[in-house]
Amino acid sequence: MAPSARSLPRAEKGAARERQIRIAASRLFVEKGFDGASMQDIADAVGLTKPGLYHFVESKEGLLALIVEDGVARLEREVIEPALAVADPAERIATLVRAHVANISRVESDIGNPVTSLVENLIGLSDARRAEIEARLRRLYEVIRGALGELRAEGRLVEGIDITTAAFSIIGMVMWTNRWRRPGGRVTAEAAGQDIARLALRAVLRD
């Protein structure tokens, strides 16, 4: 059943609060470490009491799991799936690069996107959960490496380039934007995505 007009604002406020909690928790997990950040720290960061925080989350471990799952699911939905829909391998790489930079730039702060940092490092997860997430994240590399392999088969790749090295280097350029780009800076997320896509393709494609 669809929410009524009266209940919708409350639902929207609840979703906004949950997003605020996840971003604040991500930042604290990155800055203090998962073990060093307490539920009281998170509650203080979002202006809630500790009991009030437990209205939105069951535990610190559960909150971490929600943050990581949301980050990886967004990566799959907003970056990997759109890239896989592109037939041309060069444009597939460019599409993935632009979408990935945009995905990272969804949340901007003085420390970059803390959700991206958290997903990149996978702190605080069980071994089994870490292995599962790493397998899903590996698809990013596999899409780029697969596209580079197609370019090589078509004779469009610069001779002698190792496609594994190239794939990880492209991912590295994208991920590094989370460290050097800052809110309100001269370089927009769109411009960074376009430039990195150009750099990547010019480095691997024959003239």
Coordinates of all heavy atoms in Angstrom, one line a residue, residues 66-159:
L66 N 25.0 -2.5 6.8 CA 24.1 -1.7 6.0 C 24.9 -0.7 5.1 O 24.6 -0.6 4.0 CB 23.1 -1.0 6.9 CG 22.0 -1.8 7.6 CD1 21.3 -0.9 8.6 CD2 21.1 -2.3 6.5
I67 N 25.9 -0.1 5.7 CA 26.7 0.9 5.0 C 27.4 0.2 3.8 O 27.4 0.7 2.7 CB 27.7 1.6 5.9 CG1 26.9 2.5 6.9 CG2 28.6 2.5 5.1 CD1 27.8 2.9 8.1
V68 N 28.1 -0.9 4.1 CA 28.8 -1.5 3.0 C 27.9 -2.1 2.0 O 28.2 -2.0 0.8 CB 29.7 -2.7 3.7 CG1 30.3 -3.5 2.6 CG2 30.8 -2.1 4.6
E69 N 26.8 -2.7 2.4 CA 25.9 -3.3 1.4 C 25.3 -2.2 0.5 O 25.2 -2.3 -0.7 CB 24.7 -4.0 2.1 CG 23.6 -4.5 1.2 CD 24.1 -5.5 0.1 OE1 25.1 -6.2 0.4 OE2 23.6 -5.4 -1.0
D70 N 24.9 -1.0 1.1 CA 24.4 0.1 0.3 C 25.4 0.6 -0.7 O 25.1 0.9 -1.8 CB 23.9 1.2 1.2 CG 23.3 2.3 0.5 OD1 22.3 2.1 -0.2 OD2 23.8 3.5 0.5
G71 N 26.7 0.7 -0.2 CA 27.7 1.2 -1.1 C 28.0 0.3 -2.2 O 28.2 0.8 -3.4
V72 N 28.1 -1.0 -2.0 CA 28.4 -1.9 -3.0 C 27.2 -2.1 -4.0 O 27.4 -2.1 -5.2 CB 28.8 -3.3 -2.4 CG1 28.9 -4.4 -3.6 CG2 30.0 -3.2 -1.6
A73 N 26.0 -2.1 -3.5 CA 24.8 -2.2 -4.3 C 24.7 -1.0 -5.2 O 24.3 -1.1 -6.4 CB 23.5 -2.3 -3.5
R74 N 25.0 0.2 -4.7 CA 25.0 1.4 -5.6 C 26.1 1.3 -6.7 O 25.9 1.7 -7.8 CB 25.3 2.7 -4.7 CG 24.1 3.2 -4.0 CD 24.4 4.5 -3.3 NE 23.2 5.1 -2.7 CZ 22.5 6.0 -3.3 NH1 22.8 6.3 -4.6 NH2 21.4 6.5 -2.8
L75 N 27.3 0.8 -6.3 CA 28.3 0.6 -7.3 C 27.8 -0.3 -8.4 O 28.1 0.0 -9.6 CB 29.6 0.1 -6.6 CG 30.8 -0.1 -7.5 CD1 31.4 1.2 -7.9 CD2 31.8 -1.0 -6.8
E76 N 27.2 -1.4 -8.1 CA 26.7 -2.3 -9.1 C 25.6 -1.7 -9.9 O 25.6 -1.8 -11.2 CB 26.1 -3.6 -8.4 CG 27.2 -4.4 -7.7 CD 26.7 -5.5 -6.8 OE1 25.5 -5.3 -6.3 OE2 27.3 -6.5 -6.5
R77 N 24.7 -1.0 -9.3 CA 23.6 -0.4 -10.0 C 23.9 0.8 -10.8 O 23.4 1.0 -11.9 CB 22.5 0.0 -8.9 CG 21.2 0.5 -9.5 CD 20.2 0.7 -8.4 NE 20.5 1.7 -7.4 CZ 20.9 1.4 -6.2 NH1 20.9 0.2 -5.7 NH2 21.2 2.4 -5.3
E78 N 24.8 1.7 -10.3 CA 25.1 3.0 -10.9 C 26.3 3.0 -11.8 O 26.5 3.9 -12.6 CB 25.2 4.1 -9.9 CG 24.0 4.3 -9.0 CD 24.2 5.3 -7.9 OE1 25.3 5.8 -7.8 OE2 23.2 5.5 -7.1
V79 N 27.2 2.0 -11.6 CA 28.5 1.9 -12.4 C 28.6 0.7 -13.2 O 28.8 0.8 -14.5 CB 29.7 2.0 -11.4 CG1 31.0 2.0 -12.1 CG2 29.6 3.3 -10.5
I80 N 28.5 -0.5 -12.6 CA 28.8 -1.7 -13.4 C 27.7 -2.0 -14.4 O 28.0 -2.3 -15.6 CB 29.0 -2.9 -12.4 CG1 30.3 -2.6 -11.5 CG2 29.1 -4.2 -13.2 CD1 30.5 -3.6 -10.4
E81 N 26.5 -2.0 -14.0 CA 25.4 -2.3 -14.9 C 25.3 -1.4 -16.1 O 25.1 -1.9 -17.2 CB 24.1 -2.4 -14.1 CG 24.0 -3.6 -13.2 CD 22.8 -3.6 -12.3 OE1 21.8 -2.8 -12.6 OE2 22.7 -4.4 -11.4
P82 N 25.4 -0.1 -15.9 CA 25.3 0.8 -17.1 C 26.5 0.6 -18.0 O 26.4 0.6 -19.3 CB 25.4 2.2 -16.5 CG 24.9 2.1 -15.1 CD 25.3 0.7 -14.7
A83 N 27.7 0.3 -17.5 CA 28.8 0.0 -18.3 C 28.6 -1.3 -19.2 O 29.0 -1.3 -20.4 CB 30.1 -0.1 -17.5
L84 N 28.1 -2.3 -18.5 CA 27.9 -3.6 -19.2 C 26.9 -3.5 -20.4 O 26.9 -4.3 -21.3 CB 27.4 -4.6 -18.2 CG 28.5 -5.2 -17.3 CD1 27.9 -6.1 -16.2 CD2 29.6 -5.9 -18.0
A85 N 26.1 -2.4 -20.3 CA 25.1 -2.2 -21.4 C 25.7 -1.6 -22.6 O 25.0 -1.5 -23.7 CB 23.9 -1.3 -20.9
V86 N 26.9 -1.2 -22.6 CA 27.6 -0.5 -23.7 C 28.3 -1.5 -24.6 O 29.2 -2.3 -24.0 CB 28.6 0.6 -23.2 CG1 29.3 1.2 -24.4 CG2 27.8 1.6 -22.4
A87 N 28.1 -1.6 -25.8 CA 28.6 -2.6 -26.7 C 30.1 -2.4 -27.0 O 30.9 -3.3 -26.9 CB 27.8 -2.7 -28.0
D88 N 30.5 -1.1 -27.4 CA 31.8 -0.8 -27.8 C 32.7 -0.9 -26.5 O 32.5 -0.2 -25.5 CB 31.9 0.5 -28.4 CG 33.3 0.9 -28.8 OD1 33.8 0.3 -29.8 OD2 34.0 1.7 -28.1
P89 N 33.8 -1.6 -26.5 CA 34.7 -1.8 -25.4 C 35.4 -0.5 -24.9 O 35.5 -0.3 -23.7 CB 35.7 -2.8 -25.8 CG 35.7 -2.9 -27.2 CD 34.3 -2.5 -27.6
A90 N 35.7 0.4 -25.8 CA 36.4 1.6 -25.4 C 35.3 2.5 -24.7 O 35.6 3.1 -23.7 CB 37.0 2.3 -26.7
E91 N 34.2 2.6 -25.3 CA 33.1 3.5 -24.7 C 32.6 2.8 -23.4 O 32.2 3.5 -22.5 CB 32.0 3.6 -25.7 CG 30.9 4.6 -25.1 CD 31.4 5.9 -24.7 OE1 32.3 6.5 -25.3 OE2 30.8 6.5 -23.8
R92 N 32.7 1.5 -23.3 CA 32.4 0.8 -22.0 C 33.3 1.3 -20.9 O 32.8 1.6 -19.8 CB 32.4 -0.7 -22.2 CG 31.8 -1.5 -21.1 CD 32.0 -3.0 -21.3 NE 31.6 -3.3 -22.7 CZ 32.2 -4.2 -23.4 NH1 33.2 -4.9 -22.9 NH2 31.8 -4.4 -24.6
I93 N 34.6 1.3 -21.2 CA 35.5 1.8 -20.2 C 35.3 3.3 -19.8 O 35.2 3.6 -18.6 CB 37.0 1.7 -20.7 CG1 37.4 0.2 -20.9 CG2 38.0 2.4 -19.8 CD1 38.7 -0.1 -21.6
A94 N 35.0 4.1 -20.8 CA 34.8 5.5 -20.6 C 33.5 5.7 -19.7 O 33.4 6.5 -18.8 CB 34.6 6.3 -21.9
T95 N 32.5 4.9 -20.1 CA 31.2 5.0 -19.3 C 31.4 4.6 -17.9 O 30.9 5.3 -16.9 CB 30.2 4.1 -20.0 OG1 29.9 4.6 -21.3 CG2 28.9 4.1 -19.2
L96 N 32.2 3.5 -17.7 CA 32.4 3.1 -16.3 C 33.2 4.1 -15.5 O 32.9 4.4 -14.4 CB 33.2 1.7 -16.3 CG 33.4 1.1 -15.0 CD1 33.3 -0.4 -15.1 CD2 34.8 1.5 -14.4
V97 N 34.2 4.7 -16.1 CA 35.0 5.7 -15.4 C 34.2 6.9 -15.0 O 34.2 7.3 -13.9 CB 36.2 6.1 -16.3 CG1 36.9 7.4 -15.8 CG2 37.3 5.0 -16.4
R98 N 33.4 7.4 -16.0 CA 32.6 8.6 -15.6 C 31.6 8.3 -14.6 O 31.4 9.1 -13.6 CB 31.9 9.1 -16.9 CG 32.9 9.7 -18.0 CD 32.1 10.4 -19.1 NE 31.3 9.5 -19.8 CZ 31.6 8.9 -21.0 NH1 32.8 9.2 -21.5 NH2 30.8 8.1 -21.6
A99 N 31.0 7.1 -14.7 CA 29.9 6.8 -13.7 C 30.6 6.5 -12.3 O 30.0 6.8 -11.3 CB 29.2 5.5 -14.1
H100 N 31.8 5.9 -12.3 CA 32.4 5.6 -11.0 C 32.8 6.9 -10.3 O 32.6 7.0 -9.1 CB 33.6 4.7 -11.3 CG 34.1 4.0 -10.0 ND1 35.2 3.2 -10.0 CD2 33.6 4.0 -8.8 CE1 35.4 2.8 -8.8 NE2 34.5 3.2 -8.0
V101 N 33.4 7.9 -11.0 CA 33.7 9.2 -10.4 C 32.5 9.8 -9.9 O 32.5 10.4 -8.8 CB 34.4 10.1 -11.4 CG1 34.6 11.5 -10.8 CG2 35.8 9.5 -11.8
A102 N 31.4 9.8 -10.6 CA 30.1 10.4 -10.2 C 29.6 9.7 -8.9 O 29.1 10.3 -8.0 CB 29.1 10.3 -11.3
N103 N 29.8 8.4 -8.9 CA 29.3 7.6 -7.7 C 30.1 7.9 -6.5 O 29.5 8.1 -5.4 CB 29.5 6.1 -8.0 CG 29.2 5.2 -6.9 OD1 30.0 4.9 -6.0 ND2 27.9 4.7 -6.8
I104 N 31.4 8.1 -6.6 CA 32.3 8.5 -5.5 C 31.9 9.9 -5.0 O 31.9 10.1 -3.8 CB 33.7 8.4 -5.9 CG1 34.2 7.0 -6.1 CG2 34.6 9.1 -4.9 CD1 35.6 6.8 -6.7
S105 N 31.5 10.7 -5.9 CA 31.3 12.2 -5.6 C 29.9 12.4 -5.1 O 29.5 13.6 -4.8 CB 31.5 13.0 -6.8 OG 32.8 12.8 -7.3
R106 N 29.1 11.4 -4.9 CA 27.7 11.5 -4.3 C 27.8 12.2 -3.0 O 26.9 13.0 -2.6 CB 27.0 10.2 -4.1 CG 26.5 9.5 -5.3 CD 25.7 8.3 -4.9 NE 26.4 7.4 -4.1 CZ 26.2 7.2 -2.8 NH1 25.3 7.9 -2.2 NH2 26.9 6.4 -2.1
V107 N 28.8 11.8 -2.2 CA 29.0 12.4 -0.9 C 30.4 13.1 -0.9 O 31.4 12.5 -1.2 CB 29.0 11.3 0.3 CG1 29.2 12.0 1.6 CG2 27.7 10.6 0.2
E108 N 30.4 14.4 -0.6 CA 31.6 15.2 -0.6 C 31.8 15.8 0.8 O 30.9 16.3 1.4 CB 31.6 16.3 -1.7 CG 31.5 15.7 -3.1 CD 31.6 16.8 -4.1 OE1 31.1 17.9 -3.9 OE2 32.3 16.5 -5.2
S109 N 33.1 15.7 1.3 CA 33.4 16.3 2.5 C 34.9 16.6 2.5 O 35.6 16.3 1.5 CB 33.1 15.3 3.7 OG 34.0 14.2 3.7
D110 N 35.5 17.1 3.6 CA 36.9 17.4 3.7 C 37.7 16.1 3.7 O 39.0 16.2 3.5 CB 37.2 18.2 4.9 CG 36.8 17.5 6.2 OD1 35.8 16.8 6.2 OD2 37.5 17.7 7.2
I111 N 37.1 14.9 3.9 CA 37.9 13.7 3.8 C 37.4 12.8 2.6 O 37.6 11.6 2.6 CB 37.8 12.9 5.1 CG1 36.4 12.5 5.4 CG2 38.4 13.6 6.2 CD1 36.3 11.4 6.5
G112 N 36.8 13.5 1.6 CA 36.2 12.7 0.5 C 34.9 12.1 0.9 O 34.2 12.5 1.8
N113 N 34.6 11.0 0.2 CA 33.4 10.2 0.5 C 33.7 9.1 1.5 O 34.4 8.1 1.1 CB 32.8 9.6 -0.8 CG 31.5 8.9 -0.6 OD1 31.2 8.4 0.5 ND2 30.7 8.7 -1.6
P114 N 33.3 9.2 2.8 CA 33.7 8.2 3.7 C 33.1 6.8 3.5 O 33.7 5.8 3.9 CB 33.2 8.8 5.1 CG 32.1 9.7 4.7 CD 32.5 10.3 3.3
V115 N 32.0 6.8 2.8 CA 31.4 5.5 2.4 C 32.4 4.8 1.5 O 32.6 3.6 1.6 CB 30.0 5.6 1.8 CG1 29.5 4.3 1.4 CG2 29.1 6.3 2.8
T116 N 32.9 5.5 0.5 CA 33.8 4.9 -0.5 C 35.1 4.4 0.2 O 35.6 3.3 0.0 CB 34.2 6.0 -1.5 OG1 33.1 6.3 -2.3 CG2 35.3 5.4 -2.5
S117 N 35.6 5.2 1.2 CA 36.8 4.8 1.9 C 36.5 3.5 2.7 O 37.3 2.6 2.8 CB 37.2 5.9 2.9 OG 37.6 7.1 2.2
L118 N 35.3 3.5 3.3 CA 35.0 2.3 4.1 C 34.8 1.1 3.2 O 35.4 0.0 3.6 CB 33.6 2.6 4.8 CG 33.2 1.7 6.0 CD1 34.3 1.7 7.1 CD2 31.9 2.0 6.5
V119 N 34.2 1.2 2.1 CA 34.0 0.0 1.2 C 35.4 -0.4 0.6 O 35.6 -1.6 0.4 CB 33.0 0.4 0.1 CG1 33.0 -0.7 -1.0 CG2 31.6 0.6 0.6
E120 N 36.2 0.6 0.4 CA 37.6 0.3 -0.2 C 38.4 -0.5 0.8 O 39.1 -1.4 0.4 CB 38.3 1.6 -0.5 CG 39.6 1.4 -1.2 CD 40.3 2.7 -1.5 OE1 39.8 3.8 -1.1 OE2 41.4 2.7 -2.2
N121 N 38.3 -0.2 2.1 CA 39.1 -0.9 3.1 C 38.4 -2.1 3.8 O 39.1 -2.9 4.3 CB 39.6 0.1 4.1 CG 40.5 1.2 3.5 OD1 41.6 0.9 3.2 ND2 40.0 2.4 3.4
L122 N 37.1 -2.1 3.8 CA 36.3 -3.2 4.4 C 36.8 -3.5 5.8 O 37.0 -4.7 6.2 CB 36.5 -4.4 3.5 CG 35.9 -4.3 2.0 CD1 36.1 -5.6 1.3 CD2 34.4 -3.9 2.1
I123 N 36.9 -2.5 6.6 CA 37.2 -2.7 8.0 C 36.0 -3.2 8.8 O 34.9 -2.9 8.5 CB 37.7 -1.3 8.6 CG1 36.6 -0.3 8.6 CG2 39.0 -0.9 8.0 CD1 37.0 1.0 9.3
G124 N 36.3 -4.0 9.8 CA 35.3 -4.4 10.7 C 34.4 -5.6 10.3 O 33.5 -5.9 11.0
L125 N 34.7 -6.2 9.1 CA 33.8 -7.2 8.6 C 34.4 -8.6 8.9 O 35.6 -8.7 9.1 CB 33.7 -7.1 7.0 CG 33.0 -5.9 6.5 CD1 33.1 -6.0 4.9 CD2 31.6 -5.8 7.0
S126 N 33.5 -9.6 9.0 CA 34.0 -11.0 9.2 C 34.7 -11.4 8.0 O 34.6 -10.9 6.9 CB 32.8 -11.9 9.5 OG 32.0 -12.0 8.4
D127 N 35.5 -12.5 8.1 CA 36.3 -13.0 7.0 C 35.3 -13.4 5.8 O 35.6 -13.2 4.7 CB 37.1 -14.2 7.4 CG 38.3 -13.7 8.3 OD1 38.6 -12.5 8.3 OD2 38.9 -14.6 8.9
A128 N 34.2 -14.1 6.2 CA 33.3 -14.5 5.2 C 32.6 -13.4 4.5 O 32.4 -13.4 3.3 CB 32.2 -15.4 5.9
R129 N 32.2 -12.4 5.3 CA 31.5 -11.2 4.7 C 32.5 -10.4 3.8 O 32.2 -9.9 2.7 CB 31.0 -10.3 5.8 CG 30.2 -9.1 5.3 CD 29.0 -9.5 4.5 NE 28.1 -8.3 4.2 CZ 27.3 -8.3 3.2 NH1 27.2 -9.3 2.4 NH2 26.5 -7.2 3.1
R130 N 33.8 -10.3 4.2 CA 34.8 -9.6 3.5 C 35.0 -10.3 2.1 O 35.1 -9.7 1.1 CB 36.1 -9.5 4.2 CG 37.2 -8.9 3.5 CD 38.5 -9.0 4.2 NE 38.5 -8.2 5.4 CZ 39.0 -7.0 5.5 NH1 39.4 -6.4 4.4 NH2 38.9 -6.3 6.6
A131 N 35.1 -11.6 2.1 CA 35.3 -12.4 0.9 C 34.1 -12.2 -0.1 O 34.3 -12.1 -1.3 CB 35.5 -13.9 1.2
E132 N 32.9 -12.2 0.5 CA 31.7 -11.9 -0.4 C 31.8 -10.6 -1.0 O 31.5 -10.4 -2.2 CB 30.5 -12.1 0.5 CG 29.2 -11.8 -0.3 CD 28.0 -11.6 0.6 OE1 28.0 -12.0 1.8 OE2 27.0 -11.0 0.1
I133 N 32.1 -9.5 -0.3 CA 32.1 -8.2 -0.8 C 33.2 -8.0 -1.8 O 33.1 -7.4 -2.8 CB 32.2 -7.2 0.4 CG1 31.0 -7.2 1.2 CG2 32.5 -5.7 -0.2 CD1 29.7 -6.8 0.5
E134 N 34.4 -8.6 -1.5 CA 35.5 -8.5 -2.4 C 35.2 -9.1 -3.7 O 35.6 -8.6 -4.8 CB 36.8 -9.1 -1.8 CG 37.4 -8.3 -0.7 CD 38.6 -9.0 0.0 OE1 38.7 -10.2 -0.2 OE2 39.3 -8.3 0.7
A135 N 34.5 -10.2 -3.7 CA 34.1 -10.9 -5.0 C 33.2 -10.0 -5.8 O 33.3 -9.9 -7.0 CB 33.4 -12.2 -4.7
R136 N 32.3 -9.3 -5.1 CA 31.4 -8.4 -5.9 C 32.2 -7.2 -6.4 O 31.9 -6.7 -7.5 CB 30.3 -7.9 -5.0 CG 29.3 -9.0 -4.6 CD 28.3 -8.7 -3.5 NE 27.4 -7.6 -3.9 CZ 26.6 -7.0 -3.0 NH1 26.5 -7.5 -1.8 NH2 25.7 -6.1 -3.4
L137 N 33.1 -6.6 -5.6 CA 33.9 -5.5 -6.0 C 34.8 -5.9 -7.2 O 35.1 -5.0 -8.0 CB 34.7 -5.0 -4.9 CG 33.9 -4.3 -3.7 CD1 34.9 -3.9 -2.6 CD2 33.2 -3.0 -4.2
R138 N 35.2 -7.1 -7.3 CA 36.1 -7.5 -8.3 C 35.5 -7.4 -9.7 O 36.2 -7.3 -10.7 CB 36.6 -9.0 -8.1 CG 37.7 -9.5 -9.0 CD 38.2 -10.8 -8.7 NE 39.1 -11.3 -9.7 CZ 40.4 -10.9 -9.7 NH1 40.9 -10.1 -8.8 NH2 41.2 -11.4 -10.7
R139 N 34.2 -7.4 -9.8 CA 33.5 -7.2 -11.0 C 33.9 -5.9 -11.7 O 33.9 -5.9 -13.0 CB 32.0 -7.2 -10.9 CG 31.4 -8.6 -10.5 CD 29.9 -8.5 -10.5 NE 29.3 -8.3 -11.8 CZ 28.1 -7.7 -12.0 NH1 27.4 -7.3 -11.0 NH2 27.7 -7.5 -13.2
L140 N 34.2 -4.9 -11.0 CA 34.7 -3.7 -11.5 C 35.9 -3.9 -12.4 O 36.0 -3.4 -13.5 CB 34.9 -2.7 -10.4 CG 35.1 -1.2 -10.8 CD1 33.7 -0.6 -11.2 CD2 35.6 -0.4 -9.6
Y141 N 36.9 -4.6 -11.8 CA 38.1 -4.9 -12.5 C 37.8 -5.8 -13.7 O 38.4 -5.6 -14.7 CB 39.1 -5.6 -11.5 CG 40.1 -6.4 -12.1 CD1 41.3 -5.9 -12.7 CD2 40.0 -7.8 -12.1 CE1 42.2 -6.7 -13.3 CE2 41.0 -8.6 -12.7 CZ 42.1 -8.0 -13.3 OH 43.1 -8.8 -13.9
E142 N 37.0 -6.8 -13.5 CA 36.7 -7.7 -14.6 C 36.1 -7.0 -15.8 O 36.4 -7.4 -16.9 CB 35.8 -8.8 -14.1 CG 36.5 -9.7 -13.1 CD 35.6 -10.7 -12.4 OE1 34.4 -10.6 -12.5 OE2 36.1 -11.7 -11.7
V143 N 35.2 -6.0 -15.5 CA 34.6 -5.3 -16.7 C 35.7 -4.6 -17.4 O 35.7 -4.6 -18.7 CB 33.5 -4.3 -16.2 CG1 33.0 -3.5 -17.3 CG2 32.3 -5.1 -15.6
I144 N 36.5 -3.9 -16.7 CA 37.6 -3.1 -17.4 C 38.6 -4.0 -18.1 O 38.9 -3.8 -19.3 CB 38.3 -2.2 -16.4 CG1 37.4 -1.2 -15.8 CG2 39.5 -1.5 -17.1 CD1 38.0 -0.3 -14.8
R145 N 39.0 -5.0 -17.4 CA 40.0 -6.0 -18.1 C 39.4 -6.7 -19.3 O 40.0 -6.9 -20.3 CB 40.5 -7.0 -17.0 CG 41.7 -7.8 -17.5 CD 42.1 -8.8 -16.5 NE 43.3 -9.5 -16.9 CZ 43.4 -10.5 -17.7 NH1 42.3 -11.0 -18.2 NH2 44.6 -11.1 -18.0
G146 N 38.1 -7.1 -19.1 CA 37.4 -7.7 -20.3 C 37.3 -6.8 -21.5 O 37.5 -7.2 -22.6
A147 N 37.0 -5.5 -21.2 CA 37.0 -4.5 -22.3 C 38.3 -4.3 -23.0 O 38.4 -4.3 -24.2 CB 36.4 -3.2 -21.8
L148 N 39.4 -4.3 -22.2 CA 40.7 -4.2 -22.7 C 41.1 -5.4 -23.5 O 41.7 -5.3 -24.6 CB 41.7 -4.0 -21.6 CG 41.7 -2.7 -20.8 CD1 42.5 -2.7 -19.5 CD2 42.1 -1.5 -21.7
G149 N 40.6 -6.6 -23.1 CA 40.9 -7.8 -23.8 C 40.2 -7.8 -25.2 O 40.8 -8.2 -26.2
E150 N 39.0 -7.2 -25.2 CA 38.3 -7.1 -26.5 C 39.0 -6.1 -27.4 O 39.1 -6.4 -28.6 CB 36.8 -6.6 -26.3 CG 35.9 -7.6 -25.6 CD 34.5 -7.0 -25.4 OE1 34.0 -6.3 -26.2 OE2 34.0 -7.3 -24.3
L151 N 39.5 -5.0 -26.9 CA 40.2 -4.1 -27.7 C 41.5 -4.7 -28.3 O 41.9 -4.4 -29.4 CB 40.6 -2.8 -26.8 CG 39.4 -1.9 -26.4 CD1 39.9 -0.9 -25.4 CD2 38.9 -1.2 -27.7
R152 N 42.2 -5.5 -27.5 CA 43.4 -6.2 -28.0 C 43.0 -7.2 -29.1 O 43.7 -7.2 -30.1 CB 44.1 -6.9 -26.8 CG 45.4 -7.6 -27.2 CD 46.1 -8.2 -26.0 NE 45.3 -9.1 -25.3 CZ 45.7 -9.7 -24.1 NH1 46.8 -9.3 -23.5 NH2 44.9 -10.6 -23.5
A153 N 41.9 -7.9 -28.9 CA 41.5 -8.8 -30.0 C 41.1 -8.1 -31.3 O 41.3 -8.7 -32.3 CB 40.3 -9.7 -29.4
E154 N 40.6 -6.9 -31.1 CA 40.2 -6.1 -32.3 C 41.4 -5.4 -32.9 O 41.3 -4.7 -33.9 CB 39.1 -5.1 -31.9 CG 37.8 -5.8 -31.5 CD 36.8 -4.8 -30.9 OE1 37.2 -3.6 -30.9 OE2 35.8 -5.2 -30.5
G155 N 42.6 -5.5 -32.3 CA 43.8 -4.7 -32.8 C 43.8 -3.3 -32.5 O 44.5 -2.5 -33.1
R156 N 43.0 -2.9 -31.5 CA 42.9 -1.5 -31.2 C 43.7 -1.1 -29.9 O 43.8 0.1 -29.6 CB 41.4 -1.1 -30.9 CG 40.5 -1.3 -32.1 CD 39.0 -1.3 -31.7 NE 38.6 0.0 -31.2 CZ 37.4 0.2 -30.6 NH1 36.5 -0.8 -30.5 NH2 37.1 1.4 -30.2
L157 N 44.3 -2.0 -29.3 CA 45.1 -1.8 -28.1 C 46.6 -1.5 -28.4 O 47.1 -2.2 -29.3 CB 45.0 -2.9 -27.1 CG 45.3 -2.7 -25.7 CD1 44.3 -1.8 -25.0 CD2 45.4 -4.0 -24.9
V158 N 47.2 -0.6 -27.7 CA 48.6 -0.4 -27.9 C 49.4 -1.7 -27.7 O 49.1 -2.4 -26.7 CB 49.1 0.7 -27.0 CG1 50.7 0.8 -27.0 CG2 48.5 2.1 -27.3
E159 N 50.3 -2.0 -28.6 CA 51.0 -3.3 -28.5 C 51.9 -3.3 -27.2 O 52.5 -2.3 -26.8 CB 51.9 -3.5 -29.7 CG 52.6 -4.8 -29.8 CD 53.3 -5.0 -31.1 OE1 53.2 -4.2 -32.0 OE2 54.1 -6.0 -31.2

